[in-house]
Amino acid sequence: MIKKTFLINLENGFHIRPATKFVKIAKKFSSQIIIRLKDKKVDGKSLLQIQTLGISKNDLIELIINGKDELEAMNKLSIIISSLSSKE
């Protein structure tokens, strides 16, 4: 299992467009992908569940990945989160 924390720097938070990009990539991996915001955890492969978190600008989220392709998944998803701009 690997974990990494990210600061969300999107003006409108992790809304539908960036979350859709994230889920599209996350679904390509067999590993379990969890997003944690404070004390709430959701399936990172579920757009609906991600939206229930209400991730806003300057929120710290933790990405928790567990499985046989966890390292590759973390690398790809880290790039996705880091590449999201405030224009999304």
Side-chain angles (χ1 to χ4, degrees):
M1 177 184 343
I2 54 177
K3 300 177 183 182
K4 189 171 181 180
T5 302
F6 298 90
L7 174 65
I8 300 302
N9 195 28
L10 294 165
E11 193 61 41
N12 296 315
F14 205 59
H15 61 88
I16 196 82
R17 193 173 300 134
T20 299
K21 288 180 183 180
F22 180 91
V23 168
K24 184 178 179 181
I25 300 299
K27 285 185 174 182
K28 294 180 179 182
F29 298 99
S30 63
S31 293
Q32 179 186 36
I33 299 170
I34 301 293
I35 298 175
R36 185 179 66 81
L37 175 65
K38 298 175 184 161
D39 62 345
K40 193 171 181 184
K41 294 179 182 179
V42 299
D43 180 357
K45 296 179 182 180
S46 169
L47 183 59
L48 182 59
Q49 287 187 34
I50 292 172
Q51 292 303 292
T52 65
L53 288 176
I55 302 169
S56 300
K57 183 176 181 172
N58 296 324
D59 277 344
L60 282 174
I61 63 167
E62 184 176 36
L63 192 56
I64 305 162
I65 305 178
N66 188 27
K68 63 183 176 183
D69 56 359
E70 63 189 25
L71 189 57
E72 183 183 358
M74 182 62 81
N75 289 338
K76 293 280 188 184
L77 294 172
S78 293
I79 290 168
I80 293 296
I81 293 172
S82 298
S83 71
L84 295 172
S85 71
S86 59
K87 295 177 183 175
E88 287 294 327

